[in-house]
Amino acid sequence: MKTKIILLVEDNPSDIELTRRALQKNHIANEMVVAEDGQEALDYLFGGEPSGSGHENELPALILLDLKLPRVDGLQVLRRIRADERTRHLPVVILTTSGEEQDIAQSYDLGANSYVRKPVDFEQFVEVTRYLGLYWLVMNEPAPFQKGRSGG
């Protein structure tokens, strides 16, 4: 059985490393693919310039999406994910520092499955990561056609 991929869309190197450490600490062995801006995430999901990850044809089981990203912001990425037949049912968790009511409302309006503010404290972040991993990667039943990309 192939491991479920987590696509982390995050531009802050510290937060990328924090997420890696939190996943490891929780024994979440899923492969994490990182897109450091919104355009890189779209390229990974829909083709475009190869990301070099070797997973261009494999959809993630979970997308952890920051909102404040260079080139293409997180809300635009979410809008594109929900507009495409192949990706519209992928679980997308907004994982961001923003607690702005407008960001929260727009995220849900565009189809986010969950909105989580990043805790500042590492131990709290580890706990949040544990719950996200447990729910989205173990307990949640994905849409049947989400097993991978189809030819068309």
Side-chain angles (χ1 to χ4, degrees):
M1 187 171 137
K2 293 187 86 164
T3 182
K4 296 176 181 178
I5 293 173
I6 299 169
L7 175 61
L8 175 65
V9 188
E10 173 62 66
D11 64 318
N12 182 321
S14 298
D15 285 348
I16 293 169
E17 186 54 34
L18 186 69
T19 305
R20 272 190 219 287
R21 286 180 39 219
L23 290 171
Q24 288 171 349
K25 189 164 181 151
N26 284 304
H27 308 287
I28 298 171
N30 298 69
E31 180 178 355
M32 185 174 79
V33 173
V34 177
E36 294 187 19
D37 64 49
Q39 186 60 53
E40 199 175 307
L42 293 174
D43 290 345
Y44 174 84
L45 292 167
F46 301 110
E49 293 301 313
S51 66
S53 68
H55 295 287
E56 281 73 25
N57 293 320
E58 221 172 307
L59 291 176
L62 174 64
I63 300 171
L64 300 176
L65 178 62
D66 191 16
L67 292 182
K68 310 300 184 204
L69 298 166
R71 299 207 295 167
V72 178
D73 73 33
L75 292 174
Q76 290 174 305
V77 172
L78 180 57
R79 186 176 286 114
R80 177 73 196 282
I81 289 169
R82 292 299 182 239
D84 191 284
E85 182 72 28
R86 295 165 298 158
T87 57
R88 72 176 177 194
H89 292 291
L90 289 176
V92 178
V93 174
I94 304 300
L95 186 59
T96 187
T97 55
S98 174
E100 296 289 321
E101 214 172 283
Q102 181 178 353
D103 286 341
I104 297 168
Q106 277 190 287
S107 295
Y108 282 118
D109 286 346
L110 292 172
N113 295 92
S114 186
Y115 191 103
V116 178
R117 285 189 59 199
K118 293 178 196 170
V120 178
D121 175 72
F122 178 68
E123 289 307 316
Q124 288 177 333
F125 190 82
V126 167
E127 193 70 4
V128 164
T129 305
R130 183 170 74 84
Y131 287 124
L132 288 174
L134 181 64
Y135 180 78
W136 291 108
L137 300 170
V138 177
M139 296 171 64
N140 183 57
E141 280 294 327
F145 53 87
Q146 197 177 297
K147 303 294 185 217
R149 281 196 180 159
S150 61

